[in-house]
Amino acid sequence: MPPARVFASEKNLENEHQTKEIQATKEPRNPINVLAKQGSLTDRQQESHEVLMKCLTDERRFDNEKSVAAWIVYKALLQWRLFEAEKTNIFDRIVHKIRSSIEKGQDDTRELAYWLTTSSTLLYLLQSTLKFSNTNNAASRRNRSSHATLFGRLVQGMQPSSVGLETSSGYSGMAGIPNDQQMVEAKYPALLFKQHLAAYVEKTYGMIRDKLKKEINPLLNLCIHAPRPTRAKTLRDVTKSIHLTTIAKQQASYVQWQNIVNKLEHTLTFMAENHVPSMITRKLFHQVFSYINVQLFNSLLLRRECCSVSNGEYLKMGLHELEQWCLKADDEATRSPWDELQHIRQAVMFLVSHQKTQKSLDEIAKEICPVLSIPQVYRIGTMFWDDKYGTQGLSPEVINQMRKLMTEDSANMTYPSFLLDVDSRYAKNKILAFFSVSLPNYSQCMFQHSFLSGRCFAILPRR
């Protein structure tokens, strides 16, 4: 059915319904008839809700990289004026469906990525449309357990004008995202719905991130230390052992780091297939690369056997595999996270650098390890040993200089000061900041064909 005919028929149904109501006020009311009509309306409402829930789970299409299911749910709730309702159970049903789908697919990154896109898109649409009175906000503060979440605090505090997206355009006959003068004043159930939705956006994001971390963690343990050669008995065995060790190192490094690259690639593919907003994808990979940086760097500084020249070369070869993946990736979200590996990269650069005894502290701090702290440089410098060329490490003068500096600053340091904290550089407000600018920008003609003529949307009964 063409868009004009769809909405014309809906308008006729509304006019007919209003005419019957006027006539009913002029005629004596039969209690039995009134109850029958109320039962009929309840049945139609229930039927509408059932169809809507089916659309939420079954309409897994994307239009211009935007979630069809999220838009259908949003438009239905808006047209049925449920955001303004004092009491309704549809919000609880939607939240339950999202929660159960996430829990059921917790081991499936593709499934989690779909629900991350759908729930974040719906959350954006609510934020762009709804406004809440001070009374509702006061009530929400009395029951604000969901505000403890990252996305929950953001959504609760964001003002419509801060979204920074175009919201005044209509959708060719459909009520689009209203401007500030057309914002819908929602009741407390809608506010609670938005808070719960924000919590599940954050939860889904965290599940994808933590699942990827869990997959690569055992691989990182295999990448931190080069395989040891077997002890040779004769000179011929020594020569053969050196050759085989070199090959083994290259192969082992390639396999383990390639496995990490494959895990990253799979996650990126699933997020791209489900059109997860690019800023969310970028933030996720930044955090995962930060995790890789922390795990490798801390392991290096806790194990003296890893602070050798040959192990530095081994790690350098492995990090090169990761760098190549970042550079070759088509998605911009995977290019910038390479900078998150600065600590381990500079530590490796120190291990493989030549003529360490001739380096001054200023040269080390500015040229080789500008990101590392004095305690970190001191730790790796005192643990370094050259198992390949037999050269010496840092000069005694440089070691004494660093020891003196650490003694002076010891009052402000906590042991062990040379270790990194997991995601220590990602303050919560920085994780939140991307949300207001990264979600879909719905232009004027978005979804004009697929929604207005779509079977799922067209069959939704009017309340």
Side-chain angles (χ1 to χ4, degrees), residues 59-286:
E59 278 292 338
R60 297 202 166 205
R61 296 179 295 125
F62 295 91
D63 190 299
N64 289 340
E65 301 183 356
K66 309 301 186 296
S67 169
V68 168
W71 182 257
I72 291 177
V73 171
Y74 161 76
K75 288 303 296 183
L77 297 176
L78 185 66
Q79 291 187 359
W80 295 341
R81 305 190 68 167
L82 289 176
F83 297 128
E84 305 165 65
E86 294 284 357
K87 184 177 181 181
T88 178
N89 70 341
I90 187 62
F91 297 142
D92 291 337
R93 295 189 62 186
I94 294 172
V95 169
H96 175 74
K97 179 59 67 176
I98 293 175
R99 179 178 68 248
S100 61
S101 298
I102 291 172
E103 293 174 352
K104 183 179 179 180
Q106 60 183 337
D107 296 326
D108 187 346
T109 302
R110 180 185 280 109
E111 182 75 5
L112 292 175
Y114 169 78
W115 285 108
L116 177 58
T117 299
T118 300
S119 56
S120 63
T121 301
L122 182 56
L123 180 60
Y124 162 76
L125 291 169
L126 298 187
Q127 178 58 39
S128 301
T129 303
L130 306 184
K131 64 179 180 179
F132 300 94
S133 64
N134 292 333
T135 302
N136 284 332
N137 286 331
S140 69
R141 284 191 290 271
R142 291 193 298 267
N143 184 20
R144 58 187 302 171
S145 59
S146 64
H147 290 173
T149 64
L150 305 183
F151 289 91
R153 285 194 302 272
L154 173 69
V155 173
Q156 188 253 350
M158 282 176 58
Q159 297 297 324
S161 58
S162 70
V163 176
L165 303 177
E166 297 178 5
T167 60
S168 60
S169 300
Y171 290 82
S172 301
M174 292 180 66
I177 302 176
N179 56 29
D180 290 343
Q181 289 71 35
Q182 298 172 324
M183 297 287 286
V184 175
E185 184 166 345
K187 302 300 181 182
Y188 180 70
L191 174 60
L192 194 61
F193 172 54
K194 192 172 70 168
Q195 293 169 2
H196 288 163
L197 197 60
Y200 282 108
V201 170
E202 181 191 7
K203 179 178 180 179
T204 310
Y205 170 86
M207 290 173 71
I208 297 174
R209 178 199 59 204
D210 295 343
K211 182 175 181 294
L212 180 56
K213 286 182 180 180
K214 184 177 179 180
E215 290 175 348
I216 65 177
N217 185 63
L219 300 174
L220 293 175
N221 294 332
L222 297 175
C223 290
I224 188 61
H225 192 206
R228 294 182 179 181
T230 56
R231 180 170 297 182
K233 297 181 179 180
T234 64
L235 180 61
R236 181 177 179 180
D237 290 337
V238 170
T239 305
K240 184 177 181 180
S241 175
I242 293 175
H243 177 69
L244 293 177
T245 299
T246 302
I247 296 177
K249 286 182 180 180
Q250 294 175 346
Q251 291 178 343
S253 176
Y254 177 82
V255 170
Q256 302 304 335
W257 284 93
Q258 193 61 42
N259 287 338
I260 293 177
V261 167
N262 290 339
K263 299 294 184 182
L264 297 172
E265 183 66 27
H266 289 161
T267 300
L268 176 63
T269 299
F270 294 148
M271 298 184 77
E273 287 177 354
N274 289 278
H275 305 290
V276 175
S278 61
M279 281 298 291
I280 296 180
T281 302
R282 184 177 300 113
K283 185 59 63 178
L284 185 142
F285 278 99
H286 269 276

Side-chain angles (χ1 to χ4, degrees), residues 312-379:
E313 293 174 346
Y314 176 79
L315 286 170
K316 183 179 179 181
M317 183 169 54
L319 288 170
H320 179 73
E321 292 291 328
L322 195 56
E323 181 184 20
Q324 290 302 304
W325 178 77
C326 292
L327 295 175
K328 292 178 181 178
D330 295 331
D331 196 310
E332 185 180 354
T334 62
R335 296 173 187 169
S336 56
W338 172 247
D339 294 335
E340 298 298 329
L341 301 178
Q342 289 188 23
H343 288 84
I344 185 61
R345 286 163 53 193
Q346 291 182 15
V348 168
M349 185 182 299
F350 175 86
L351 293 177
V352 300
S353 62
H354 301 288
Q355 299 178 335
K356 293 181 180 63
T357 55
Q358 301 178 18
K359 302 289 184 182
S360 67
L361 181 58
D362 189 65
E363 288 178 300
I364 296 171
K366 292 182 178 180
E367 298 177 10
I368 302 178
C369 306
V371 173
L372 304 188
S373 66
I374 293 298
Q376 290 168 343
V377 176
Y378 178 83
R379 176 74 177 183

